Amino acid sequence: YMHIAMGMDTISFELIAWRWQSAGWRLFDLVLLVFGWLHGANGMRVVLDDYVHSRGGRAIARTVLFVVTAILIVLGAYVILTFGSM
């Protein structure tokens, strides 16, 4: 939305800080973060299933993928939800 409606040259830290004063935009960005990461992680899971042939290796790779995805979602959510309150 912002890339099309506003253009890349007008997006700044101040604009995002202003936008995140609204709970609706924070919720939108949080949903976008979660669905984006889950979509990417699911795609990576398919790639791992194609290229990791051993059962144990696949279990380790999926566990690492799950842990990294969960950590990045939690960190991103923390930033979105606590921005400006520190």
Side-chain angles (χ1 to χ4, degrees), residues 2-46:
M2 292 182 69
H3 295 60
I4 296 169
M6 305 179 114
M8 290 292 294
D9 55 331
T10 59
I11 298 174
S12 64
F13 176 82
E14 290 80 18
L15 178 66
I16 300 302
W18 173 79
R19 194 175 100 156
W20 277 1
Q21 290 176 358
S22 166
W25 278 116
R26 283 188 190 221
L27 180 64
F28 175 79
D29 286 343
L30 182 63
V31 169
L32 193 62
L33 170 86
V34 171
F35 283 131
W37 270 110
L38 292 178
H39 176 74
N42 188 48
M44 190 64 202
R45 181 191 57 82
V46 171

Side-chain angles (χ1 to χ4, degrees), residues 39-84:
H39 176 74
N42 188 48
M44 190 64 202
R45 181 191 57 82
V46 171
V47 170
L48 290 172
D49 287 347
D50 286 344
Y51 287 101
V52 180
H53 300 292
S54 71
R55 192 171 197 185
R58 189 175 297 149
I60 291 170
R62 281 185 177 182
T63 302
V64 169
L65 177 63
F66 175 78
V67 169
V68 169
T69 301
I71 288 171
L72 291 173
I73 288 174
V74 168
L75 287 175
Y78 175 75
V79 169
I80 291 172
L81 296 174
T82 63
F83 182 83

